[in-house]
C-alpha cells in the first residue's frame, strides 16, 4: 500500500516522540513517512531521508527532511517554527492529493504559536485542511473502537450554540457523516442517532423548543429520503453500552456533548477524523502535552490508533 504521511506538528510538544514510538510499534505493517526536521526526533532515532515514496528504507523511519532553522526545546514553542509546521501540513496534503500517499496523519499543533509566528488564519487543523482542499465543507468526527461521535458545532462558546445550529447545518453534517461512514468505514447502511440540544431532548417543549422546531424536522426529512437516522434523543441516555449498539455514529449538538463520552470511554485510543475531504486525514485526539514533552512519558496509543485508522480508511476508499 502507499504510505501514510505524518506531519510533525508542534516540535515543542510530544509530536516527534509519539511519531517515533508509533513507527516502532507498527513496524512494517503500515509504511510511514514523517515530514519534519530530523533534528527534532528523539535521540537515537534510526531515520533515512527519502525523495521517492515508492522506495522506503527497511528498518528505518523514512523522513522528508525540512530545516526548521533552530532546535527543539520541549515545552517551549518557538515562533520561528510556525511557518515550517504549516508548510509540513501542506506538503503532506500535496502528497496525498497527488496520489503518492494514501492518507495524512497530523500530529498536534499549537495554534497560539502558529498565530504568533506566522499569522495562522484558521481556528485549527480542520479548517486549514478544508482550505487546502478548496474550501469544501467538512465535519469533525472522534472515533474509537466502541463509539463514533460528530459535533455539529465545534469550537464556539456554549452560549453561541443555539444561534449557530440551523437546519442546513444539521442536514449537511448528517449527509457528510452518512457518506463517510459508507465510503471510509465500509458500513453499507449507516445508522445515525441524533442528540437533542436541551435536557431530556426538550421534553416536548418544556425545556426548549429547538428539538420541535428544528432538530426533529431535519431527522424526519432525512429519514423520508431513506437514511437510517433517529432522534432527537436525550443525550444523557445515548452512550451506555446498550444504546451504543443501536447506531454507528452519534450526531451531537456541541463540542462537549460529543467529546466527553468518547474521552471517558477511551481517552488514550480516540482518533480525530476529518470527514468530507477529498483525501483521508486522521489525528490523535489530544494536544501537544507541553508538560510532559521530552520526558519520555508520552503515550503513543492515540497516534498508533490514528495511523491504523488512516490505513484502514484508505483500504476501504481504495486509495491503497
Amino acid at each position: 500500500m502507499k504510505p501514510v504521511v505524518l506531519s510533525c506538528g508542534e516540535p515543542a510538544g510530544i509530536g516527534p516522540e509519539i511519531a517515533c514510538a508509533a513507527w516502532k510499534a507498527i513496524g512494517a505493517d503500515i509504511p510511514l513517512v514523517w515530514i519534519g526536521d530530523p533534528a527534532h526526533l528523539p535521540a537515537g532515532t534510526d531515520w533515512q531521508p527519502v525523495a521517492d515514496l515508492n522506495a522506503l528504507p527497511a528498518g528505518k523511519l523514512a523522513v522528508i527532511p525540512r530545516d526548521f532553522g533552530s532546535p527543539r526545546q520541549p515545552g517551549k514553542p518557538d515562533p520561528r517554527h510556525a511557518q515550517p509546521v504549516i508548510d509540513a501540513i501542506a506538503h503532506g496534503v500535496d502528497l496525498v492529493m497527488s496520489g503518492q500517499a494514501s492518507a495524512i496523519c497530523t500530529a498536534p499543533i499549537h495554534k497560539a504559536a502558529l498565530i504568533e509566528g506566522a499569522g495562522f488564519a484558521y481556528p485549527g487543523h480542520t479548517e486549514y485542511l478544508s482550505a487546502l482542499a478548496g474550501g469544501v465543507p467538512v465535519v469533525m468526527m472522534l472515533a474509537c473502537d466502541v463509539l463514533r461521535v460528530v459535533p455539529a458545532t465545534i469550537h464556539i462558546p456554549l452560549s453561541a450554540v443555539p444561534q449557530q445550529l440551523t437546519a442546513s447545518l444539521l442536514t449537511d453534517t448528517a449527509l457528510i457523516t452518512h457518506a463517510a461512514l459508507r465510503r471510509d468505514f465500509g458500513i453499507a447502511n449507516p445508522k445515525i442517532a441524533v442528540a437533542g440540544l436541551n435536557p431530556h431532548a426538550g421534553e416536548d417543549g418544556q425545556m426548549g423548543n429547538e428539538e420541535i422546531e428544528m432538530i426533529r424536522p431535519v431527522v424526519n426529512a432525512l429519514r423520508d429520503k431513506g437514511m437510517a437516522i433517529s432522534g432527537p434523543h436525550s443525550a444523557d441516555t445515548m452512550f451506555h453500552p446498550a444504546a451504543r449498539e443501536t447506531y454507528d455514529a452519534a450526531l451531537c449538538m456541541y463540542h462537549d456533548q460529543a467529546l466527553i463520552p468518547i474521552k471517558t470511554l477511551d481517552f488514550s485510543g480516540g482518533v480525530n477524523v476529518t470527514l468530507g475531504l477529498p483525501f483521508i486525514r486522521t489525528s490523535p485526539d489530544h494536544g501537544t502535552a507541553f508538560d510532559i514533552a521530552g520526558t519520555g512519558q508520552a503515550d503513543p496509543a492515540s497516534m498508533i490508533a490514528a495511523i491504523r485508522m488512516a490505513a484502514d480508511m484508505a483500504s476501504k476508499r481504495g486509495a491503497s
Side-chain angles (χ1 to χ4, degrees):
M1 67 174 292
K2 296 176 182 177
V4 174
V5 292
L6 312 178
S7 62
C8 58
E10 169 54 55
I14 62 173
E17 301 159 51
I18 60 174
C20 186
W23 164 68
K24 290 178 180 177
I26 289 171
D29 291 352
I30 300 169
L32 301 174
V33 177
W34 188 77
I35 305 174
D37 190 330
H40 297 164
L41 289 167
T45 300
D46 197 3
W47 66 276
Q48 181 173 316
V50 295
D52 182 359
L53 270 60
N54 293 312
L56 302 185
K60 295 185 178 183
L61 175 60
V63 174
I64 297 176
R66 301 186 72 91
D67 183 4
F68 279 37
S70 59
R72 170 191 187 232
Q73 290 187 280
K76 298 179 180 180
D78 185 341
R80 292 174 295 179
H81 293 164
Q83 193 59 53
V85 167
I86 296 167
D87 292 343
I89 299 167
H91 190 170
V93 169
D94 285 343
L95 292 172
V96 183
M97 292 278 280
S98 67
Q100 298 177 68
S102 62
I104 180 170
C105 181
T106 59
I109 56 175
H110 185 58
K111 292 184 282 291
L114 298 187
I115 292 168
E116 178 185 354
F120 192 59
Y122 303 92
H125 257 127
T126 302
E127 294 81 4
Y128 181 47
L129 292 165
S130 170
L132 291 174
V136 297
V138 295
V139 165
M140 184 175 81
M141 172 184 279
L142 285 301
C144 67
D145 288 343
V146 296
L147 180 65
R148 302 182 190 94
V149 292
V150 171
T153 63
I154 308 176
H155 298 121
I156 62 173
L158 189 58
S159 60
V161 169
Q163 289 73 44
Q164 291 291 321
L165 279 175
T166 63
S168 176
L169 174 65
L170 289 179
T171 299
D172 290 347
T173 302
L175 290 172
I176 291 171
T177 301
H178 186 267
L181 288 169
R182 295 185 65 183
R183 179 179 62 177
D184 297 330
F185 292 89
I187 303 170
N189 186 29
K191 300 179 181 67
I192 297 174
V194 180
L197 172 65
N198 299 296
H200 299 182
E203 201 162 293
D204 296 324
Q206 298 302 307
M207 299 183 187
N209 292 316
E210 286 85 357
E211 288 80 8
I212 294 172
E213 296 174 356
M214 178 184 56
I215 302 173
R216 186 173 298 146
V218 167
V219 170
N220 290 342
L222 291 171
R223 188 188 300 117
D224 289 344
K225 293 181 180 179
M227 186 181 295
I229 189 168
S230 63
H233 300 285
S234 180
D236 64 354
T237 61
M238 283 182 62
F239 300 106
H240 62 83
R244 297 198 308 270
E245 291 295 323
T246 66
Y247 58 81
D248 299 300
L251 198 169
C252 301
M253 297 299 107
Y254 55 93
H255 182 277
D256 285 10
Q257 190 184 61
L259 271 65
I260 287 173
I262 193 166
K263 290 193 175 186
T264 300
L265 289 166
D266 193 354
F267 187 78
S268 297
V271 177
N272 186 335
V273 187
T274 305
L275 310 181
L277 293 168
F279 54 88
I280 294 164
R281 179 262 177 159
T282 65
S283 180
D285 182 24
H286 58 65
T288 52
F290 289 137
D291 57 326
I292 61 169
T295 67
Q297 299 178 57
D299 183 354
S302 187
M303 174 63 88
I304 293 168
I307 293 168
R308 292 195 182 282
M309 186 173 292
D312 188 59
M313 291 171 67
S315 176
K316 289 185 170 63
R317 193 183 280 204
S320 59

